[in-house]
Amino acid sequence: MSTDVLTDRQKKIARYAKAMAHPVRMYILELLSEQSCCYSGDLAEDLPIARSTLSQHLSELKAAGLIQGEIKPPKIKYCINRENFEEARALMRDFYKL
Amino acid sequence: MSTDVLTDRQKKIARYAKAMAHPVRMYILELLSEQSCCYSGDLAEDLPIARSTLSQHLSELKAAGLIQGEIKPPKIKYCINRENFEEARALMRDFYKL
DNA sequence: CAGTCATTTCGTATTTTTACGAAATACGTT
DNA sequence: AACGTATTTCGTAAAAATACGAAATGACTG
């Protein structure tokens, strides 16, 4: 099918890296990987950005598969998506030959 | 000094991740980390993009500090910037708790 | 069922990224 | 000094990322 020189692996790492490519998103990822879960509101209180902007960053992380949201009315609980986080980790580990 | 909630570490990882956030740049990084050096022309032959576009990607990697160029007339030899590559690796390792 | 809370979606503006071809640069060769 | 080679810079266009406030959503509460 595809005679693309770019491998799926390279595309996957690039995709995960894109999700990590903003300080606010790294802040969220670090927080979640430490304490596993949090609410959008908790983040909004700490971060110097509008709630709507934060929501966009959460969407980006969700689209990349690194986090997932669970509705706990009236809040939404965000957690690391372990499966994909592990994949990202494995890809990074291999790339950096760790 | 800075009462910024975002740490320098988070900003640094985000910066390196941004450089990695494109399949073409991952292709270049993988090639260089395997064989240490190559010329822009070698890459241009393999990749399905214009030479000027490739040059922009090389600039982005250079700006992030992950590679460096050495003039070997009439070519330019690109290599991994070991020091910064190591830093990126260490940051990724810590983040992913490897 | 009107009100409240937490969060997202929408509309929009600005900036950045990605891409190309044409022109410029740098350097060695004839 | 003109020429060829390798690569970059410039000009430009289109797409994506980032940001905000206002409005909408979904779910519980009085």
Side-chain angles (χ1 to χ4, degrees), chain B residues 28-88:
Chain B
I28 297 168
L29 286 174
E30 283 204 335
L31 192 75
L32 289 185
S33 72
E34 278 163 15
Q35 67 174 45
S36 82
C37 288
C38 75
Y39 297 101
S40 177
D42 304 339
L43 295 166
E45 272 164 39
D46 296 338
L47 293 167
I49 57 171
R51 277 156 198 275
S52 53
T53 305
L54 170 59
S55 197
Q56 275 182 187
H57 283 303
L58 289 167
S59 287
E60 172 64 30
L61 288 170
K62 209 159 40 172
L66 287 173
I67 67 170
Q68 57 198 15
E70 189 191 342
I71 298 163
K72 287 265 183 181
K75 300 185 174 183
I76 297 181
K77 194 169 77 169
Y78 281 102
C79 307
I80 290 289
N81 181 320
R82 288 291 160 198
E83 192 182 343
N84 293 333
F85 193 84
E86 270 308 313
E87 182 183 48

Side-chain angles (χ1 to χ4, degrees), chain A residues 32 36-38 40 58 62 67-69 76-80:
Chain A
L32 288 185
S36 82
C37 288
C38 75
S40 176
L58 289 167
K62 210 160 38 174
I67 68 170
Q68 58 199 15
I76 296 181
K77 193 169 78 168
Y78 281 103
C79 306
I80 289 289

Side-chain angles (χ1 to χ4, degrees), chain A residues 39-41 52 55 74-76 78:
Chain A
Y39 298 100
S40 176
S52 53
S55 197
K75 301 188 176 185
I76 296 181
Y78 281 103

Side-chain angles (χ1 to χ4, degrees), chain A residues 9 13 20 85-98, chain B residues 13 20 30 33 82 84-98:
Chain A
R9 235 176 60 76
I13 300 189
M20 297 171 65
F85 194 83
E86 272 308 313
E87 182 183 49
R89 168 164 134 159
L91 287 167
M92 292 290 176
R93 187 190 55 217
D94 290 353
F95 172 65
Y96 282 108
K97 298 189 178 40
L98 296 166
Chain B
I13 300 191
M20 297 171 63
E30 283 204 335
S33 72
R82 288 291 160 198
N84 293 333
F85 193 84
E86 270 308 313
E87 182 183 48
R89 169 165 132 158
L91 288 166
M92 292 290 175
R93 187 191 54 216
D94 289 354
F95 172 65
Y96 281 108
K97 298 191 177 41
L98 296 166

Side-chain angles (χ1 to χ4, degrees), chain A residues 29-89:
Chain A
L29 287 173
E30 283 204 336
L31 191 75
L32 288 185
S33 71
E34 277 162 17
Q35 68 175 45
S36 82
C37 288
C38 75
Y39 298 100
S40 176
D42 303 341
L43 295 165
E45 270 165 40
D46 296 339
L47 293 167
I49 57 172
R51 277 158 198 273
S52 53
T53 305
L54 170 60
S55 197
Q56 277 182 185
H57 283 303
L58 289 167
S59 288
E60 171 66 28
L61 288 170
K62 210 160 38 174
L66 287 173
I67 68 170
Q68 58 199 15
E70 189 190 343
I71 298 164
K72 287 267 185 180
K75 301 188 176 185
I76 296 181
K77 193 169 78 168
Y78 281 103
C79 306
I80 289 289
N81 181 321
R82 289 288 160 203
E83 191 182 345
N84 293 333
F85 194 83
E86 272 308 313
E87 182 183 49
R89 168 164 134 159

